[in-house]
Amino acid sequence: MTPRPASGRAAAADRLARADRSRTFPPLPARTGARGLFAESWWGSAWLDALETTALDSARLARGRTYARDGHVDTINVTPGRIVATVRGSRPRPYSAEIRLNTLTDQEWDGLLDAVAAEPGQLTALLAKKLPQALAEGEVRLLPGPGDLVPRCSCPDHGRPCKHAAALCFQAARLLDVDPFVLLLMRGRGERELLDALSRRNAALTAREARAHRPVTAQPPPHRPAPEGGIPHTVTAPSAATAAGADPGESAEAAGPQALPGVLARAALADRPRPPLPPPLPAPPRPGHPPALPDADHLPFDPAALEFLAADAVARAHACVSAAGSARPEDGRRPGDGRRPGDGRRPGDGRHPGDGRPPVRSPFPALPVWEDAVRLAATAHPTAGLTSATRALYRDLAAATGRTTTDVARSVAAWRQGGREGLALLEAAWNPPAGDFDRARSALLAADLPALRPRHNHLTDAERGIQLRFGHDHRWYPYESEPGAEDWWPTGPADPDPVGALTTLLAR
């Protein structure tokens, strides 16, 4: 029998629970000018005491403290029993460091939650991001003791801890200073999960106290035997309040709790005007650089390939944000899709019916595999030369696409020169119509520049090894080759003026 699939509500609750048990923190800023105690709270200091009392080498601890103070620890991820981060050392690739801590059992969690529910002041302190000392030092020990913190690292140093794991531990103390729920997460449960459990315990405790203080109600009225063939009668005894002359309605109010005031669900969920959203922040001038990944063994992925794709994702996100921010607010368009409100146009189709405006183009049109491979290689590292890493990248792309390494390098240079149009000019010639191409030779001769021989969309001087290619975008793309070799490579930026393009090429 196949198990029944979980309902949508149960699946959503499961996703929330998993998300609650994993927290990611951005790199903490460097601590400039601070040379005193690293942790500011007593529980942060207790965390570091557990590390320092079992460390075998104080010099490694000192270097780890320096690494943490100088900001060598990258993004930190905290899950039950484990805290992980990459730490940048002296090598180009960072190391993967982690600290392990045993989680609490279900029985220990029950005892801890009962203790918090019984003392409202402890819950108030936790909500204020303070760790009550009575709670931390109670029957269930929250803070680690000597030997409880188990460091691990991918570096070749076998010290316990090495300087990378020590740096992570020092930064974890700074996280604990700000939010003690990080410690509770390491012990096994997330903040939302804990607050929900405490809410249920508080409700149960309130109900028990209400039942304990509720007055004893009168005995049920006695039943009188019914006459033959009749309905039994019930004798209703007057209450004490009624016998004293009180109004029956008042006695009913005193008998039990009143219904709490509330709001109808339809009123709470009804649509109502909301204030407009604040304007978006301006896009940064250029895309950022994703962090370097650790070069560890037995990883299920290639760190260099993942960094490569991350850099491309950053560049795409920056282009999308820049395109969305470039929409003019006065024309009534929605940022990013180029539509006017109520124009009836489908999102993303780029058409403007009846207004004569040019279509809105996506910053990332669909590309064939070869063109997209060239785009990735050209844009992920736009200023990289022929380093060992780029040579390895070109070899991989050549093997994957059935080209040679020289073809890949030449195509990357063409993409950097003019994008998709530059690559098209590298791979195929075309016959331009009469006009700009024909006037270019006269302009070159008038500027006292070498005469170039026309063929298709090329103007070439093979003896000098120079060439201009005319693109569909009406720009001139300079090429050069060894004289007489006919091995043309894109050189320099494209120029709408043939005189400027050739002058730049001759000046090289």
Side-chain angles (χ1 to χ4, degrees):
M1 180 181 295
T2 58
R4 294 178 60 186
S7 64
R9 183 176 299 179
D14 183 61
R15 288 194 297 269
L16 283 175
R18 288 198 302 269
D20 189 41
R21 292 194 177 191
S22 178
R23 294 180 64 181
T24 302
F25 299 90
L28 297 177
R31 299 186 62 173
T32 57
R35 295 296 173 186
L37 294 176
F38 206 89
E40 298 178 356
S41 62
W42 71 266
W43 55 90
S45 299
W47 169 276
L48 292 180
D49 289 343
L51 171 74
E52 295 171 349
T53 53
T54 54
L56 302 179
D57 188 354
S58 59
R60 286 190 177 92
L61 282 182
R63 289 195 293 272
R65 180 191 291 266
T66 302
Y67 271 24
R69 194 184 303 277
D70 294 343
H72 284 240
V73 181
D74 291 329
T75 302
I76 301 174
N77 179 253
V78 183
T79 53
R82 188 168 177 256
I83 179 169
V84 184
T86 53
V87 182
R88 288 174 280 107
S90 56
R91 296 186 179 181
R93 287 199 172 275
Y95 297 106
S96 178
E98 69 176 274
I99 303 294
R100 291 185 176 269
L101 177 65
N102 289 334
T103 58
L104 301 181
T105 64
D106 290 342
Q107 292 80 7
E108 289 174 326
W109 274 115
D110 288 338
L112 182 68
L113 292 174
D114 288 339
V116 176
E119 294 291 339
Q122 294 186 353
L123 177 58
T124 303
L126 284 175
L127 293 176
K129 305 303 182 182
K130 306 293 182 182
L131 183 62
Q133 194 159 0
L135 178 63
E137 298 175 354
E139 296 182 2
V140 179
R141 191 176 67 180
L142 280 178
L143 289 166
D148 288 346
L149 298 178
V150 181
R152 296 182 181 180
C153 187
S154 62
C155 72
D157 186 2
H158 297 291
R160 288 181 62 87
C162 67
K163 56 187 176 182
H164 311 102
L168 173 58
C169 201
F170 279 109
Q171 294 295 64
R174 294 177 64 184
L175 295 179
L176 294 179
D177 282 343
V178 178
D179 189 356
F181 279 100
V182 174
L183 175 62
L184 296 172
L185 176 57
M186 285 202 69
R187 285 300 194 178
R189 297 195 181 179
E191 180 175 355
R192 180 189 297 273
E193 183 181 6
L194 289 175
L195 294 179
D196 290 345
L198 288 173
S199 178
R200 290 191 296 269
R201 275 173 164 77
N202 284 332
L205 182 61
T206 303
R208 286 198 301 268
E209 292 177 350
R211 286 196 298 268
H213 293 84
R214 183 176 299 172
V216 180
T217 58
Q219 294 295 327
H223 289 268
R224 190 171 58 186
E228 293 184 7
I231 300 175
H233 297 282
T234 301
V235 178
T236 304
S239 64
T242 306
D247 184 71
E250 296 177 358
S251 62
E253 292 179 2
Q258 294 250 349
L260 295 176
V263 179
L264 292 177
R266 69 172 67 93
L269 299 177
D271 192 14
R272 57 187 181 276
R274 294 177 174 85
L277 293 175
L281 296 176
R286 61 186 62 85
H289 297 284
L293 296 175
D295 190 9
D297 296 331
H298 310 297
L299 290 176
F301 56 86
D302 181 8
L306 189 58
E307 290 177 10
F308 189 67
L309 294 176
D312 178 63
V314 169
R316 284 174 172 252
H318 182 268
C320 287
V321 172
S322 300
S326 64
R328 294 174 299 172
E330 64 271 10
D331 66 1
R333 300 184 197 177
R334 294 183 179 92
D337 66 359
R339 291 188 296 158
R340 294 179 186 272
D343 65 0
R345 189 166 53 86
R346 293 192 305 272
D349 63 5
R351 292 177 290 133
H352 297 275
D355 59 6
R357 288 186 287 125
V360 178
R361 295 183 179 180
S362 167
F364 304 106
L367 298 176
V369 174
W370 164 244
E371 292 185 12
D372 199 45
V374 174
R375 179 193 64 81
L376 278 170
T379 58
H381 304 286
T383 59
L386 283 178
T387 63
S388 59
T390 54
R391 288 191 181 95
L393 174 64
Y394 291 171
R395 286 195 300 269
D396 293 342
L397 288 180
T401 56
R403 309 288 182 111
T404 66
T405 306
T406 303
D407 289 340
V408 173
R410 198 194 314 263
S411 300
V412 167
W415 191 281
R416 289 175 178 169
Q417 184 186 54
R420 196 174 186 183
E421 178 65 21
L423 183 61
L425 292 177
L426 172 69
E427 296 180 338
W430 65 290
N431 294 316
D436 292 343
F437 184 80
D438 298 325
R439 290 190 291 269
R441 295 184 66 201
S442 301
L444 294 177
L445 292 176
D448 198 23
L449 292 172
L452 303 181
R453 179 181 178 183
R455 177 177 172 79
H456 298 301
N457 61 321
H458 300 173
L459 295 177
T460 308
D461 186 345
E463 294 182 358
R464 286 188 173 89
I466 56 177
Q467 185 182 82
L468 296 180
R469 299 190 180 185
F470 186 61
H472 295 84
D473 56 355
H474 297 276
R475 293 195 301 167
W476 295 89
Y477 291 76
Y479 277 68
E480 66 179 356
S481 170
E482 292 294 330
E486 294 289 329
D487 183 26
W488 299 105
W489 282 76
T491 305
D495 197 313
D497 180 17
V499 175
L502 186 56
T503 302
T504 303
L505 184 60
L506 293 173
R508 292 178 61 87

